[in-house]
Amino acid sequence: MPLFERDRYQRLDGGGGGAGPGRRPPSSFCSSATIVFFVALCLVAAWMMASSNNIAVNVSPENKSSEAKDLAQSDRDADAVSDTPQTTDATGAEGGGATQTSDEAGSAGDTSSKDDDKKDDGAAETADPATSNDASRSDVAETVDVTANSTGGVGTVAEGESAAKNQTSFSDENGKTEGGEVAKPEDPDKKVEQSAEQATADASNTTSTHAEKSTDDDTGGKADKNNGEEGSTSDADSAKETPTESEETGGGAAKNQTAFDDAKVNSDEAAGSDKAETTDDDTTSTTSSASKNATSGGQNQNVEAAETTAYASGNGTVTTPDTDTNSSANSTSEEETRPSSAGDGAEELLPSGGQAELLNETSPAANGAFPTQAAESSNEKKKHKNNKKSSSNNDEEVGSGEAASYRWKLCNTSTGADYIPCLDNEAAIRKLKTNKHYEHRERHCPTSSPSCLVPLPEGYRQPIPWPYSRDKIWYHNVPHAGLASYKGHQNWVKVSGEHLTFPGGGTQFKHGAAHYIELIGEALPEVAWGRRSRVVLDVGCGVASFGGFLFDRDALTMSFAPKDEHEAQVQFALERGIPAISAVMGTKRLPFPGNAFDAIHCARCRVPWHIEGGTLLLEANRLLRPGGLFVWSATPVYRKVPEDVQIWHAMAALTKSMCWEMMKRTSDTVDQTAMVIFKKPTSNDCYDARARPEPPMCEAADDQDAAWNVTLQPCMHRVPTDPSRRGSQWPAQWPDRLAATPYWLSADKVGVYGNPAPADFAADQEHWSKVVQNSYLHGLGIDWKNVRNVMDMRAVYGGFAAALRDMKVWVMNVVTIDSPDTLPIIYERGLFGMYHDWCESFSAYPRSYDLVHADHLFSMLKSRCNLLPVVVEVDRILRPEGKLIVHDDMATVEEVKSIARSLHWEVRMSVSKQGEGLLCVSKTMWRPTEVETLS
């Protein structure tokens, strides 16, 4: 019966929930019932021990009539006996392998029984309306196969029966049948009729349920928990009465939680927490279950839509929490499950079966196919490594398991809510000898990573979702009006009440980026936005309207600009939902591999391409794929003032010496501007035919993919000509290139997971497609309509981003410097990303991402840097109400969870299996009030 239908029938019950008005006191029948219970218990125990065959025990619901309250008292008396550990020899477990106490089973249930305003699920289903108010609870129909083996073997399911027989009526409401298949919704009226017909013998079989419980713990592995039961004493009982099955059935623990309290409906807080724990033993699984349930009479279909749903798989259970994201900072909604290791392989959150090899990554040092970025950037490796092992000043205060007591403080910086540690290191910037090459805009990370928290801007609110955010954002989220005043006439950004609006203009396209993009396509159809030109680099992006409107053509743009060169331009871009980072073309290479971008764009980007031997344009040449296009629209292209004419001649000579072909030079009568489009060569013929080797060719030992803290070199790399080398061919057109194995990924190369590289690539793609489709999109309680900016902190092949292809999101794929360098593969697929070391701060503004994904990252970082500052950095770049998904070993997951809780984050779900854990947490609006003291 759907939730709202249950509530409708509940409201027919006039009785209160628990002790109070509307309830009858226990009758004297309780003493007789106790005696009957003991006799029945002894008979059942003797019968089961004497039997040598599989025995099917059927438990059916009983009619809750006028004797229901008397039997509730009988249950209460029986609990006193149940508290004594019971040994079940029938299953062959040595030493009484299963022990269950009422405290273990009912700790959560006792809490929910205190609300006098709660209604009975089964009260309306009684045969006699006059006695409906007296019913303390309603048991659902259950059929459980309990087995005994005279030889001491593990219990098995009776032959011919389904492996997943522990089914309550709530499993239908969650869309699951007994076999784990999706069930069609049933007619609630028919279910009421069936319940009335079946409600005939519940009182007598209550004792059978308790007797059965003494054997369930040895055969456990699956427990369906009915959280719709209510009463002053029945919650603990219902948890005990839930039977379990043998682990050999492959079943997990399907949990159904409904927790809506009258006092909490308005805030949409989840009021319950379930836990089931399963050992890794192949033969015995002990399941301890406790649940809370409180249903408000005023619920409707909207509340039902937010109901908790359990997804069962062959290897265990994945439980999804309420999708509500408006919980208060001081209250968490958590679901924790430790699924069984048995089963025959349905898709699930944690890798299993054929995907287990994804956890067994080969050592980067032993993997010759993919060297690490740190190795490629060897000229910076020693200095970088020495700076990474410095720890936070607060390391002694916070460790594993102690983060909950940490005393958080706000960062004390001049940049306040816009603080980027590696770009706002004022002490390091003051020590610079020169700013001639924009050294002050480059990364200068502090020796110790910060462990303070960045404050929120006053009046901050949840960002406007995409695609509306492209046109307007909340002013108080990025309260900077200087750019609107300075660039207002060029239609960059305008202030409009409580919003900042973005007409889509730019310095070179005042009448809108859409018109400008179309003009480029008309001038050179070869550009083929979104097909041939999929991954674009926008240099000096402004507020990134160019990249924002290229989304309409299925082209993905990496936008970057220096921080504060134009006030908050990159922050505006990120708030709008457009990819962007704070970076500058100064003295070091940009953190991207060579031969990566299909096109590079510069609209009045103010980069002095022509000076110092064209060093900056040669960096663009390194990044541009052979055959890629360079679009330049700037005043030297069309203005005739002496300075512009001089720059144009210098650029024309430089591009010719670089063997770039001028494909098109055109003007725009609408914006009164012009542009020129160059093409990088696809062979070395022109290089070899040059009269003067200027700019020079790079040395053979110079790795064009080395980009982490590598100084710019005024040279060009030769074009790959071997058909088996990356860059010798243009990738397949988008979107075919997304799933296609790169042609240069040969089988003789070893992949990240130790298999031949093409097989590794395919396995990674299949794995993330299953995880995202079967779990992430529906199983984590995430409202994906509010997700736009996504970061994968450790992307490997980009499988996670590829699996989100049909979502209205973009993913920043990060390849860490100590991981195999797979970033070129990500670009080959038509995705993008960058190199980074997570022992340092990321080059993005605070509150940039809606979702951050970390797959086996944090455990790898712990050998090089303290974990606490890394989580603090995630807190900095994650938006309030944003989600962090962590997949790692259990020790690391628990450590991250502890720190997250100390940050007042909401633990949405925690799942574990065989030492692996998955955690989903949601950042809240909480910020500390104390500000750190500067030393």
Side-chain angles (χ1 to χ4, degrees), residues 376-660:
E376 292 169 337
S377 307
S378 58
N379 59 331
E380 291 291 333
K381 185 176 182 180
K382 286 186 177 181
K383 181 180 71 174
H384 179 73
K385 185 175 181 180
N386 291 336
N387 289 337
K388 292 306 150 294
K389 293 198 175 185
S390 57
S391 60
S392 168
N393 294 331
N394 297 300
D395 287 349
E396 294 182 0
E397 250 185 286
V398 184
S400 295
E402 299 178 2
S405 62
Y406 182 75
R407 187 177 180 182
W408 295 104
K409 299 179 181 180
L410 294 175
C411 298
N412 190 348
T413 64
S414 61
T415 50
D418 296 337
Y419 180 47
I420 304 177
C422 289
L423 300 184
D424 296 326
N425 189 349
E426 296 175 353
I429 293 174
R430 284 195 297 267
K431 294 178 181 179
L432 294 175
K433 296 180 179 180
T434 178
N435 292 336
K436 180 180 179 182
H437 296 96
Y438 276 71
E439 290 88 345
H440 61 301
R441 301 300 185 193
E442 294 180 327
R443 291 173 57 85
H444 303 282
C445 297
T447 303
S448 297
S449 298
S451 57
C452 56
L453 305 182
V454 176
L456 296 177
E458 184 177 354
Y460 182 88
R461 59 198 297 183
Q462 186 70 10
I464 295 172
W466 182 269
Y468 310 105
S469 60
R470 187 179 67 178
D471 301 325
K472 65 179 181 179
I473 63 175
W474 298 114
Y475 172 80
H476 288 293
N477 286 11
V478 190
H480 301 293
L483 195 60
S485 175
Y486 181 61
K487 292 289 187 179
H489 65 290
Q490 295 175 350
N491 285 331
W492 280 32
V493 56
K494 297 179 180 294
V495 178
S496 177
E498 60 182 358
H499 295 102
L500 290 165
T501 61
F502 300 86
T507 303
Q508 294 298 110
F509 42 89
K510 295 183 287 292
H511 294 280
H515 162 74
Y516 176 76
I517 292 169
E518 185 177 355
L519 180 68
I520 297 173
E522 292 175 350
L524 186 66
E526 183 182 344
V527 70
W529 297 120
R531 298 190 302 280
R532 182 182 189 272
S533 298
R534 160 65 181 176
V535 188
V536 182
L537 180 67
D538 188 14
V539 183
C541 63
V543 296
S545 289
F546 178 74
F549 281 86
L550 270 178
F551 275 112
D552 293 341
R553 299 174 182 261
D554 222 0
L556 192 61
T557 307
M558 175 76 76
S559 302
F560 78 93
K563 181 180 180 182
D564 292 336
E565 190 62 24
H566 283 137
E567 186 185 35
Q569 53 186 333
V570 168
Q571 192 174 19
F572 283 137
L574 289 164
E575 185 72 14
R576 297 174 69 187
I578 303 172
I581 61 169
S582 292
V584 65
M585 300 191 77
T587 66
K588 297 178 181 179
R589 288 178 175 177
L590 292 170
F592 313 120
N595 295 342
F597 292 96
D598 304 330
I600 297 179
H601 170 257
C602 165
R604 195 84 171 269
C605 57
R606 296 169 51 182
V607 175
W609 300 111
H610 62 291
I611 67 173
E612 297 182 350
T615 300
L616 300 182
L617 194 61
L618 292 171
E619 170 64 359
N621 184 78
R622 179 186 75 88
L623 299 174
L624 193 60
R625 187 186 301 278
L629 304 174
F630 181 82
V631 182
W632 186 43
S633 62
T635 55
V637 181
Y638 58 93
R639 284 185 182 174
K640 302 303 180 183
V641 298
E643 181 182 3
D644 284 330
V645 171
Q646 182 181 357
I647 294 174
W648 168 254
H649 287 311
M651 278 289 288
L654 177 61
T655 53
K656 183 177 181 179
S657 66
M658 293 170 59
C659 295
W660 282 14

Side-chain angles (χ1 to χ4, degrees), residues 730-771:
W730 195 266
Q733 289 198 346
W734 179 264
D736 296 339
R737 64 193 280 187
L738 179 66
T741 303
Y743 63 89
W744 42 268
L745 208 58
S746 62
D748 59 350
K749 294 181 179 179
V750 180
V752 175
Y753 307 117
N755 301 315
D760 248 24
F761 176 86
D764 182 84
Q765 180 169 274
E766 180 183 5
H767 164 68
W768 286 115
S769 177
K770 290 180 178 179
V771 169

Side-chain angles (χ1 to χ4, degrees), residues 86-100:
Q86 304 179 34
T87 302
T88 306
D89 295 332
T91 60
E94 296 182 4
T99 302
Q100 173 93 18

Side-chain angles (χ1 to χ4, degrees), residues 384-392 395 447-449 816 818 836-841 857-871 873 895:
H384 179 73
K385 185 175 181 180
N386 291 336
N387 289 337
K388 292 306 150 294
K389 293 198 175 185
S390 57
S391 60
S392 168
D395 287 349
T447 303
S448 297
S449 298
T816 57
D818 59 337
H836 185 61
D837 180 4
W838 284 112
C839 291
E840 297 181 354
S841 171
L857 169 71
F858 294 133
S859 58
M860 295 182 177
L861 289 174
K862 289 196 290 187
S863 63
R864 298 195 301 114
C865 53
N866 186 268
L867 186 57
L868 178 77
V870 182
V871 180
E873 175 62 8
E895 187 174 353

Side-chain angles (χ1 to χ4, degrees), residues 768 776 791-794 800 851-855 884-885:
W768 286 115
Y776 280 19
M791 172 180 284
D792 193 353
M793 297 180 72
R794 183 173 173 272
F800 173 64
L851 187 145
V852 175
H853 182 252
D855 180 54
L884 168 65
I885 302 174

